[in-house]
Amino acid sequence: QTILIGAIHQLLRKLEANCRGSSKETVANVLAHLETTDADFNSYSFVKILRSRIDVAIGEVVDSKLESMVLKGDGHDVVPKLMDDVLSSQKYLELYDSILTDLKAAVDSILNQEVDTIFTRTPTHSASMQYKKNNHRLPYTVSSTSSSGTHFLNLDDSLASGFSSHFNQTGLLFLTPDQLEAILRGMEHTDSIETKMESLKQLLHFPPGDALSKDCWPRLKRVLLSTLADTRLDLSVLALKFLAKMLSEATSQNAKEGFTILIDHLVDYYKSCDTFPVAMVTGIDLQDEECAAILKRFRLVREFSTVIPNYWLRCSSSLMELMISRVMFLLSEPSSASPSTTPVVTPLHFFALLDPTAVWFRKWMHGHYSRSEVLLYLKNHPKVLEECVRSVVTFDDFIKSCASQQPRRKGNSGSHYSEEEITFTLFVHSLSMIERVLLHRDGWKVFPVSVEGLNDAVKPSDLLVHLIHLVFTSHFQLSSQALRSLAHPHRLIFNLFGELALSSAACKSIICQETVIEALIHPLKAYLSQNVPTWKTDANKLVFVADILALIASQENGRHFLLYGNDGRIGNINHAAGAHTIAQFTVCALQDSLTPSMPKGITEAFLFVCRQLYNTCEGLFTLKEYTLHKYIASAWNKKSTKRINEESLLDNMLNFAATPRGVLLLHQTGGLLDCVDYMLLRYKMKLQVSKCQKFGYGCMVTQIASTAVGMKALLDSGFVAMFLDNIWSVLEEGDDERLLMASHGPLDPTDRVVHKALINLLNVLSSFPAVAELVSTCAEEGGSDCRVLQQLLDLLLWNRKEDTRELIHPDYTHLCGLRVLNILVASLDTFLLLETQYNLTGILLDLQEDNRINSRDFIIDAHSVLQNRILVSVYCPGGPNERNLPIINNIDQHSLYLFSKYPPPKTYWRGKAISSGAREAAQLKQFIGKHLPESPKDCESWLQNCKSIFIAALKAKQSISTSLMYSVIVKSTKGAARVRSALPQLVVQKVKGEVQPVDELGARLTLRYARQFKLLDTATNSLEEEELAALQLIVRHMVKEQQHKGRKLALGYLAESYPGFDWVVATLYVMSGGKDKKNSLLEYLCLFSSLLQSCYIWPQRMYKSVHLPPSVAASGVPVLVYGTAHNVELLLEAEVPLVYSAFKMSGYTPGQIVQHWLTQSFWNFLDWEQITLYLTLCILLGPDYQVYICMAIFTHLEKNILKHVQEQNLLAFLKEEPIHGFCIQDYLSFMNDLKNKYQSVILEDMKNFSML
């Protein structure tokens, strides 16, 4: 006991220092948070004594209970169950009683014998008076109540202990059974009100836990119930205070008992009243004492219901289930729909008044732990949900009845709630509860709900349809301040739709129903049919519809349903689907042909809905017949339209650039440059694309930059200059300490500032048309574009040492330039352009020579390693199994072979000759050797047999030589040309002129590769190089005959002949056998040029072609982009959505890498066998296989793409790395499935390449 008294002394001294001169509230707060605020809490002797006794007394109980639970495999709710078992064990009860006895003895000893020691010295009367004169209060006064055997530690009012403040008492007392018995007798006294009052006041001095632990608790519980129901409010208020103390206690048992008493009282209150005093017609008058009293009881229930979810996990599951079931039971009694009685204010009404937005229910539904119990209860006992649905469904009738009756008493000064206010708050509360239920799958199982007065059960879709009708048919008059303080009903309904639409599962299962969408678009159909609805004077309600439709369209499931209806397949044009009605309405609104005319906001709102659809490939495909881009451009060109402002029109036009084909459509509007200027403004402000798209303009910039016309707009607007300025700023004006940090390279994620700037630039420059336009435009015009090019060259090329001396961080800037250059030259056409214009390899070799130490050794650093990588990659073409590219990161100096002169060491070639046809497909060879039929019908049959035999050989993994593959190509082309031709054939022309440097260098590169892998039989000489270069020149003149002439084009990319090297011609040349095959190859190319396949497989064929509309030819957008790349993105979103989303997040686009792959016929990305197989499949099976092969590659790379998106280096991975492990034969079944699903759409679209 002496040790315990000393420990209490220590604790009191600490509390005295912290609490002197403070209010009761402050003291209570200090005590409640002592463990978290006092760093010495765990060092107090009193705390150590309590912990040691707890460990000794119940440690074994805890261990044994935990062990038994583990053995039983009961891993759910271990902590709550363990707590319940321990707190109900005999050893815990004995510990509780022993600690309580010892504490009482210690306090008695302190009060009777050691008062002076504790409080230093009790002030004398004179000292006390002096203290008060100085406006000070005595710190403590001590009294002893020995007559009753109970001892109090009385505190001054401003220094109340945590117990007294927390429980509204003036002292701390320890309750004995005798005292509780005396209090109970006083409370049970039926004659004397004063005795009952005194007993209740005494009870309030005790911690509720003491009373709960006594045997007479059941008696006290009954007495509290009867006291709460007492008509004398002064008694019931005291009982309510005691229950409030119980609910505020930390123990779950106290909260359980107190909550049960309160709920039982309210349930009994409703059941016992024959004529309930609070009728709906009279409303709730807070000045009425009984109304105020019942409202306080409900407020206590509501507040506890709001707080308790924060502690669900600390409670046992049984306690949570009890609380949920008791509250739900209370809210279900009585029903306000009962026709036999006068409508009364139900518990649900009180909850609605106290919490209109159902915050308590939102918290209950937040976590799965409690949500599952709530939904299970509602499924088994749906009365509460039925009442909520009834209040929503009948709200319209109530509004109409209120409008037809005399005005009733309105609220005044917040002291009275009228029937209108009560009903409206219940409507708001019910909407909030229904919203929470519908957001979860298990909540859908609660429906359909039967509502009294309705013939059919209400399904979620029925409820949404009713809410839509409510918006258009009801006129809300929010007359009182209480109603105006809440959101407007339209806004509440919109919030519900918004929450459901943003949940993918809820949008698909609840909103995407024909009845719901039909209800939303019905007003639009009424306008389109000139059947003006009765609500025409309030047409702004259409904005509500547009906002909901925009949210639906922002979700994949919602967009599909709007586009296709229930038949959700790409290409199925269902004009009954909602998207068609929306598009028609928007077109009419833009033309101002609706009656009455649409206000400005409505046209903008529905145009935004259309934009959510056409900024995807499938939406653009479905809505193409409405030519929205033309109508938007027409409205924008008028400049004076009152229906929509110019900025909004630009914003909506700009969103066409979200897809490859959309870029071309945007160019055709004539507003591309204005849109890019507008995008630059928003880009600088770091604004997101729209309110429904939480990302920036990265993908849109990349999509635009994949075309020459887009690059021209980016140059003219200053986009590219801004990116270059940003790079130079972070490189030369950045923090020295950051730039000196160790990193693997400038695209290492550790250097985020430089990384972001470089990625922005690479997204713009990664396509060959963009680089070609930049170089050609700057070479012709000069001016600001020349400054851009010079900045880029200064970053990429380092051949002038005087420039190096002017830089602040030359080494780091050089390293960044090399990293950008390494990605740019992944495009072979870009490399050929830079090499022929600026002698790229010569500069790099000179730099390597500067790193030479002696005849064999080089300085190995980040610069020399990157330079070596670039030099090898541009000299040694090849697929993943044909060359060994130097590794940039994790360098092993013993495996790194640097050089300063070409050729590079042979170690960078794999050196293995490609198979020449061992174990060749005999059946295929025999079939190809037969004579080709002459008649178109027989040729068509021959082609079908050829396809079957070829696919069978591939599936059987039979070897097909290059020569046999070429024979298949030639014969199938002849057969297809006899069946049908899509274009006029090219004609070989006599050529005069010099071979272009690009063709010479490309021919050299091609034949170096062919000879390395023994694809050509001839010895190394320059004759074949000259022949291939001459062949390229002839082909250029052949194609030129079918190009637009005599028209000055604004793009430098279109000024001369095709600016790149023809990799298809080069590949076919090698496949044909090389030397002396030029004439036969030219003959084949003329024949091939008449097929549809040539438009897509052969990029040069459609360059400025007369077979394209003039506007398309003038744009320089290749058919490969708005045809193949667009369709790849269309299927990618449908079939491999994770990859599509990954590209969206990265800011790079699938279309741009597809353009890169196909322009150079997969050179440097696939091995020779796969390249030839790609050409053969596309020519034999059709151009749509170009799309399927790209889809197969994306499927193959899915894991790598997702990985590199997270590492934020997707662009570098796709451009620098070959496609490892990909084999077309492995994906034949996958491509056949795509063909069966989509060929009718994809092939038909590819045939219509000129109809834009």
Side-chain angles (χ1 to χ4, degrees):
Q1 186 177 10
T2 303
I3 296 174
L4 185 59
I5 290 172
I8 295 175
H9 284 178
Q10 180 192 26
L11 185 61
L12 289 176
R13 282 195 295 271
K14 180 66 176 179
L15 293 179
E16 181 182 11
N18 290 341
C19 301
R20 182 182 297 277
S22 302
S23 64
K24 289 183 179 182
E25 291 74 12
T26 304
V27 176
N29 187 61
V30 169
L31 291 172
H33 300 89
L34 190 60
E35 183 175 2
T36 58
T37 59
D38 193 342
D40 300 327
F41 178 83
N42 294 312
S43 62
Y44 291 144
S45 299
F46 185 74
V47 175
K48 292 179 179 179
I49 292 171
L50 289 180
R51 283 182 175 168
S52 63
R53 294 185 65 171
I54 291 172
D55 290 340
V56 172
I58 64 173
E60 294 182 0
V61 177
V62 173
D63 293 339
S64 62
K65 295 287 184 183
L66 186 60
E67 184 177 355
S68 64
M69 288 182 178
V70 173
L71 292 175
K72 292 178 182 178
D74 188 4
H76 183 61
D77 299 337
V78 173
V79 175
K81 290 179 181 177
L82 184 62
M83 289 296 298
D84 283 347
D85 292 343
V86 170
L87 294 178
S88 61
S89 65
Q90 184 62 32
K91 287 192 175 183
Y92 174 76
L93 297 176
E94 292 174 357
L95 172 65
Y96 180 84
D97 291 336
S98 65
I99 290 178
L100 186 61
T101 302
D102 292 345
L103 282 175
K104 286 171 64 178
V107 172
D108 285 344
S109 178
I110 291 172
L111 293 176
N112 293 330
Q113 300 175 13
E114 302 183 22
V115 172
D116 293 338
T117 304
I118 299 172
F119 300 112
T120 309
R121 189 176 298 271
T122 302
T124 62
H125 179 71
S126 60
S128 175
M129 294 299 293
Q130 184 64 34
Y131 232 71
K132 291 181 179 180
K133 287 180 181 179
N134 295 330
N135 292 325
H136 292 294
R137 310 184 73 175
L138 292 176
Y140 295 93
T141 59
V142 180
S143 65
S144 176
T145 313
S146 57
S147 59
S148 64
T150 303
H151 302 283
F152 291 82
L153 177 60
N154 294 329
L155 305 179
D156 186 86
D157 290 342
S158 64
L159 292 173
S161 73
F163 292 102
S164 64
S165 174
H166 201 56
F167 298 127
N168 299 318
Q169 64 191 47
T170 58
L172 168 65
L173 83 108
F174 300 98
L175 183 62
T176 65
D178 294 338
Q179 286 179 314
L180 183 57
E181 179 65 29
I183 291 173
L184 273 173
R185 286 197 300 270
M187 292 176 65
E188 293 172 342
H189 201 283
T190 57
D191 297 332
S192 175
I193 297 177
E194 290 77 11
T195 303
K196 285 188 174 184
M197 292 281 291
E198 186 61 31
S199 299
L200 280 170
K201 290 178 179 178
Q202 289 184 15
L203 183 64
L204 286 171
H205 288 297
F206 294 98
D210 284 2
L212 194 62
S213 63
K214 302 300 183 291
D215 294 335
C216 53
W217 167 248
R219 281 177 60 201
L220 179 59
K221 185 175 179 179
R222 289 193 297 272
V223 172
L224 287 171
L225 271 172
S226 62
T227 306
L228 283 171
D230 199 306
T231 56
R232 289 161 292 195
L233 296 179
D234 49 355
L235 290 176
S236 62
V237 167
L238 291 175
L240 191 63
K241 285 184 178 181
F242 184 76
L243 291 181
K245 287 172 56 179
M246 292 189 70
L247 296 178
S248 64
E249 286 239 343
T251 61
S252 59
Q253 189 64 21
N254 283 358
K256 173 185 174 181
E257 293 294 336
F259 196 66
T260 303
I261 293 172
L262 187 56
I263 295 294
D264 289 345
H265 159 67
L266 291 171
V267 172
D268 292 342
Y269 185 77
Y270 269 86
K271 288 184 176 180
S272 63
C273 289
D274 296 331
T275 56
F276 187 66
V278 186
M280 282 291 292
V281 70
T282 60
I284 298 177
D285 188 358
L286 298 184
Q287 295 179 353
D288 181 88
E289 292 184 348
E290 188 170 357
C291 285
I294 196 68
L295 189 62
K296 287 180 181 179
R297 289 161 171 74
F298 277 106
R299 185 176 65 186
L300 185 57
V301 175
R302 180 262 166 190
E303 289 180 354
F304 183 74
S305 300
T306 304
V307 173
I308 193 60
N310 299 332
Y311 309 100
W312 280 140
L313 294 178
R314 301 185 187 181
C315 307
S316 64
S317 58
S318 60
L319 176 61
M320 180 189 68
E321 293 169 9
L322 173 69
M323 292 182 175
I324 290 173
S325 62
R326 296 302 294 163
V327 171
M328 290 299 179
F329 181 75
L330 171 64
L331 295 181
S332 63
E333 295 291 339
S335 173
S336 60
S338 177
S340 60
T341 59
T342 303
V344 297
V345 180
T346 66
L348 200 56
H349 286 110
F350 279 110
F351 261 65
L353 285 172
L354 294 166
D355 187 0
T357 56
V359 174
W360 68 274
F361 192 73
R362 187 182 297 268
K363 289 192 174 184
W364 283 23
M365 296 290 288
H366 179 68
H368 176 76
Y369 186 60
S370 57
R371 180 172 62 244
S372 58
E373 289 298 329
V374 173
L375 294 176
L376 180 62
Y377 184 91
L378 289 176
K379 184 177 181 181
N380 297 328
H381 307 86
K383 196 170 182 180
V384 176
L385 190 61
E386 289 174 1
E387 183 65 15
C388 291
V389 173
R390 190 203 64 79
S391 67
V392 172
V393 172
T394 60
F395 185 63
D396 188 31
D397 296 334
F398 175 78
I399 294 174
K400 293 177 182 177
S401 65
C402 289
S404 62
Q405 296 174 7
Q406 294 294 327
R408 297 177 180 176
R409 179 184 175 187
K410 301 295 181 182
N412 56 85
S413 303
S415 63
H416 183 271
Y417 291 96
S418 66
E419 181 182 8
E420 179 188 3
E421 293 169 330
I422 296 171
T423 304
F424 179 67
T425 53
L426 179 61
F427 170 76
V428 175
H429 187 270
S430 300
L431 265 185
S432 301
M433 289 186 66
I434 291 171
E435 173 190 311
R436 292 294 109 189
V437 172
L438 292 180
L439 279 175
H440 305 283
R441 293 178 185 271
D442 291 339
W444 310 339
K445 300 175 184 178
V446 182
F447 287 84
V449 174
S450 299
V451 178
E452 189 172 349
L454 297 180
N455 296 328
D456 299 325
V458 178
K459 301 190 294 292
S461 57
D462 299 333
L463 190 60
L464 296 184
V465 170
H466 178 82
L467 290 174
I468 295 169
H469 290 161
L470 191 65
V471 170
F472 285 100
T473 59
S474 298
H475 300 278
F476 302 99
Q477 300 295 331
L478 305 183
S479 55
S480 68
Q481 183 64 34
L483 294 186
R484 288 194 295 270
S485 63
L486 298 173
H488 193 279
H490 293 173
R491 176 54 53 186
L492 295 171
I493 295 172
F494 171 75
N495 289 342
L496 182 142
F497 272 91
E499 289 286 343
L500 295 179
L502 292 176
S503 169
S504 179
C507 181
K508 179 180 180 180
S509 300
I510 299 177
I511 294 183
C512 293
Q513 302 293 328
E514 285 188 359
T515 54
V516 178
I517 301 301
E518 180 62 28
L520 285 170
I521 65 175
H522 175 73
L524 311 186
K525 290 183 176 180
Y527 269 99
L528 290 172
S529 64
Q530 301 299 321
N531 183 16
V532 182
T534 56
W535 37 262
K536 62 180 181 179
T537 56
D538 196 10
N540 283 325
K541 290 180 179 180
L542 288 174
V543 175
F544 163 82
V545 173
D547 289 342
I548 293 176
L549 289 171
L551 290 174
I552 296 172
S554 68
Q555 294 292 320
E556 182 181 0
N557 294 323
R559 184 174 64 251
H560 283 187
F561 194 83
L562 287 176
L563 291 172
Y564 311 116
N566 286 323
D567 188 12
R569 284 192 60 187
I570 293 176
N572 290 347
I573 305 298
N574 177 14
H575 286 90
H580 295 275
T581 302
I582 297 168
Q584 292 173 28
F585 179 84
T586 305
V587 168
C588 291
L590 287 170
Q591 292 180 307
D592 199 15
S593 60
L594 293 173
T595 305
S597 297
M598 289 295 100
K600 179 178 180 180
I602 293 178
T603 305
E604 290 184 5
F606 279 97
L607 187 53
F608 182 78
V609 179
C610 292
R611 157 178 157 181
Q612 294 295 104
L613 300 173
Y614 65 65
N615 66 6
T616 63
C617 294
E618 60 180 351
L620 192 65
F621 176 85
T622 304
L623 301 181
K624 62 182 178 182
E625 63 183 278
Y626 302 103
T627 59
L628 281 164
H629 62 291
K630 294 182 179 179
Y631 289 107
I632 298 172
S634 176
W636 173 68
N637 287 326
K638 291 178 182 177
K639 305 293 184 183
S640 60
T641 178
K642 298 180 180 179
R643 302 300 167 204
I644 188 168
N645 64 50
E646 181 180 351
E647 184 176 290
S648 177
L649 290 167
L650 280 174
D651 198 15
N652 287 287
M653 273 201 300
L654 173 62
N655 274 262
F656 278 99
T659 62
R661 184 170 297 169
V663 176
L664 176 59
L665 298 180
L666 178 58
H667 165 71
Q668 291 178 336
T669 65
L672 177 59
L673 181 57
D674 295 274
C675 288
V676 171
D677 287 337
Y678 171 77
M679 180 172 61
L680 177 61
L681 178 64
R682 292 181 61 86
Y683 190 95
K684 289 180 178 179
M685 298 170 65
K686 298 184 178 180
L687 300 176
Q688 63 192 38
V689 174
S690 76
K691 59 186 178 183
C692 294
Q693 295 168 295
K694 308 298 184 183
F695 48 83
Y697 287 90
C699 277
M700 211 171 287
V701 173
T702 307
Q703 203 76 266
I704 292 173
S706 64
T707 64
V709 68
M711 186 61 179
K712 176 66 173 174
L714 292 173
L715 284 169
D716 292 344
S717 66
F719 240 116
V720 182
M722 179 187 70
F723 287 151
L724 281 167
D725 288 341
N726 288 344
I727 286 182
W728 283 105
S729 176
V730 297
L731 289 177
E732 292 299 309
E733 300 175 13
D735 183 13
D736 290 344
E737 183 178 351
R738 176 181 60 77
L739 295 175
L740 292 175
M741 290 175 59
S743 64
H744 295 110
L747 288 185
D748 191 287
T750 56
D751 195 348
R752 290 295 175 207
V753 179
V754 177
H755 179 273
K756 180 67 174 177
L758 289 178
I759 287 295
N760 287 337
L761 180 65
L762 286 169
N763 283 339
V764 170
L765 296 177
S766 61
S767 72
F768 169 67
V771 178
E773 177 63 24
L774 173 62
V775 173
S776 60
T777 300
C778 295
E780 291 180 4
E781 298 181 3
S784 60
D785 289 339
C786 272
R787 185 185 70 85
V788 171
L789 180 61
Q790 190 59 52
Q791 279 188 313
L792 179 63
L793 294 177
D794 288 344
L795 181 67
L796 300 180
L797 306 177
W798 287 73
N799 59 339
R800 290 174 293 175
K801 294 184 179 180
E802 60 271 14
D803 291 342
T804 303
R805 290 194 297 267
E806 297 175 359
L807 299 177
I808 301 174
H809 307 106
D811 290 338
Y812 195 76
T813 302
H814 183 197
L815 189 63
C816 288
L818 290 172
R819 196 71 178 90
V820 173
L821 185 61
N822 187 42
I823 294 174
L824 291 185
V825 298
S827 168
L828 291 175
D829 285 328
T830 300
F831 159 67
L832 295 177
L833 177 64
L834 295 177
E835 178 69 10
T836 54
Q837 295 273 354
Y838 306 107
N839 188 24
L840 173 64
T841 55
I843 295 172
L844 295 177
L845 289 171
D846 289 343
L847 291 173
Q848 289 294 77
E849 183 65 27
D850 293 340
N851 285 329
R852 179 186 289 276
I853 300 174
N854 51 48
S855 60
R856 297 182 55 188
D857 298 326
F858 290 83
I859 298 173
I860 298 178
D861 59 9
H863 303 81
S864 61
V865 169
L866 263 173
Q867 289 162 183
N868 186 66
R869 162 79 179 224
I870 296 170
L871 288 169
V872 171
S873 65
V874 299
Y875 186 89
C876 304
N881 299 309
E882 296 170 346
R883 62 176 179 171
N884 298 311
L885 286 176
I887 300 174
I888 299 177
N889 301 328
N890 303 319
I891 302 300
D892 180 5
Q893 60 178 343
H894 300 291
S895 61
L896 186 65
Y897 301 91
L898 301 182
F899 59 93
S900 60
K901 292 182 180 180
Y902 277 147
K906 293 183 178 180
T907 185
Y908 293 119
W909 292 103
R910 293 284 174 96
K912 182 179 178 181
I914 296 173
S915 173
S916 60
R919 300 186 305 278
E920 229 171 42
Q923 185 181 4
L924 178 64
K925 188 173 183 180
Q926 182 181 4
F927 181 82
I928 293 299
K930 294 180 180 180
H931 180 69
L932 184 68
E934 295 293 334
S935 68
K937 185 176 181 180
D938 293 338
C939 278
E940 190 166 4
S941 177
W942 184 92
L943 284 172
Q944 292 301 323
N945 292 333
C946 184
K947 293 175 184 178
S948 300
I949 295 172
F950 186 77
I951 294 297
L954 291 179
K955 289 183 177 179
K957 302 284 186 177
Q958 295 178 359
S959 176
I960 305 176
S961 67
T962 299
S963 59
L964 180 56
M965 204 90 72
Y966 182 70
S967 299
V968 172
I969 288 176
V970 172
K971 275 213 166 182
S972 62
T973 300
K974 290 180 179 179
R978 291 176 184 178
V979 174
R980 67 182 62 87
S981 297
L983 300 170
Q985 289 188 17
L986 296 175
V987 179
V988 179
Q989 303 286 336
K990 291 185 178 181
V991 177
K992 292 182 180 180
E994 295 183 358
V995 175
Q996 295 190 10
V998 168
D999 293 338
E1000 289 182 349
L1001 187 58
R1004 197 177 309 140
L1005 194 68
T1006 301
L1007 295 176
R1008 185 185 305 131
Y1009 170 80
R1011 294 179 186 124
Q1012 174 65 33
F1013 296 104
K1014 308 295 189 294
L1015 295 172
L1016 297 177
D1017 297 332
T1018 56
T1020 302
N1021 56 63
S1022 60
L1023 294 179
E1024 285 183 328
E1025 293 178 5
E1026 293 175 0
E1027 185 178 60
L1028 179 55
L1031 178 64
Q1032 293 276 349
L1033 178 63
I1034 295 172
V1035 170
R1036 287 182 185 276
H1037 281 78
M1038 288 168 50
V1039 173
K1040 195 173 184 179
E1041 291 301 315
Q1042 292 188 13
Q1043 291 178 353
H1044 284 281
K1045 301 173 183 177
R1047 181 180 178 184
K1048 186 177 181 181
L1049 300 175
L1051 298 176
Y1053 176 78
L1054 300 175
E1056 299 294 336
S1057 60
Y1058 183 66
F1061 182 71
D1062 198 326
W1063 294 100
V1064 173
V1065 172
T1067 305
L1068 291 172
Y1069 178 80
V1070 175
M1071 291 180 70
S1072 68
K1075 189 178 180 182
D1076 301 328
K1077 301 288 183 176
K1078 183 176 72 171
N1079 293 332
S1080 62
L1081 183 56
L1082 285 172
E1083 181 182 347
Y1084 168 75
L1085 289 173
C1086 291
L1087 193 64
F1088 178 56
S1089 66
S1090 66
L1091 300 184
L1092 177 66
Q1093 288 91 321
S1094 67
C1095 300
Y1096 295 93
I1097 299 171
W1098 190 8
Q1100 187 177 190
R1101 173 69 177 93
M1102 300 307 292
Y1103 177 77
K1104 296 193 299 183
S1105 174
V1106 294
H1107 307 299
L1108 296 175
S1111 62
V1112 177
S1115 71
V1117 180
V1119 178
L1120 205 62
V1121 170
Y1122 70 79
T1124 305
H1126 182 83
N1127 285 314
V1128 168
E1129 289 198 13
L1130 173 67
L1131 297 194
L1132 196 64
E1133 186 176 8
E1135 295 292 326
V1136 199
L1138 287 179
V1139 171
Y1140 182 83
S1141 299
F1143 273 100
K1144 203 80 170 176
M1145 291 171 58
S1146 71
Y1148 195 51
T1149 62
Q1152 198 168 84
I1153 191 63
V1154 166
Q1155 181 186 6
H1156 183 178
W1157 290 338
L1158 299 181
T1159 300
Q1160 61 192 52
S1161 298
F1162 288 104
W1163 278 64
N1164 281 359
F1165 289 100
L1166 295 176
D1167 294 332
W1168 176 252
E1169 180 185 359
Q1170 299 299 310
I1171 292 173
T1172 57
L1173 189 53
Y1174 151 73
L1175 283 177
T1176 307
L1177 278 176
C1178 292
I1179 294 174
L1180 177 63
L1181 302 181
D1184 53 318
Y1185 262 80
Q1186 195 178 46
V1187 176
Y1188 309 146
I1189 290 173
C1190 291
M1191 285 293 298
I1193 293 174
F1194 281 124
T1195 304
H1196 176 76
L1197 295 175
E1198 180 174 5
K1199 290 184 179 179
N1200 286 320
I1201 288 174
L1202 298 179
K1203 173 179 175 288
H1204 286 281
V1205 164
Q1206 291 205 350
E1207 296 174 357
Q1208 299 188 13
N1209 61 353
L1210 178 62
L1211 183 148
F1213 164 72
L1214 291 174
K1215 299 283 281 188
E1216 293 179 339
E1217 295 296 321
I1219 304 170
H1220 292 279
F1222 178 74
C1223 182
I1224 290 178
Q1225 292 91 324
D1226 296 337
Y1227 287 88
L1228 289 173
S1229 297
F1230 172 78
M1231 290 188 287
N1232 188 60
D1233 291 340
L1234 291 179
K1235 171 192 169 185
N1236 294 335
K1237 288 175 66 175
Y1238 300 111
Q1239 188 178 48
S1240 59
V1241 178
I1242 301 299
L1243 188 56
E1244 189 64 29
D1245 181 73
M1246 297 180 89
K1247 290 178 180 178
N1248 297 327
F1249 62 88
S1250 63
M1251 297 181 183
L1252 292 174

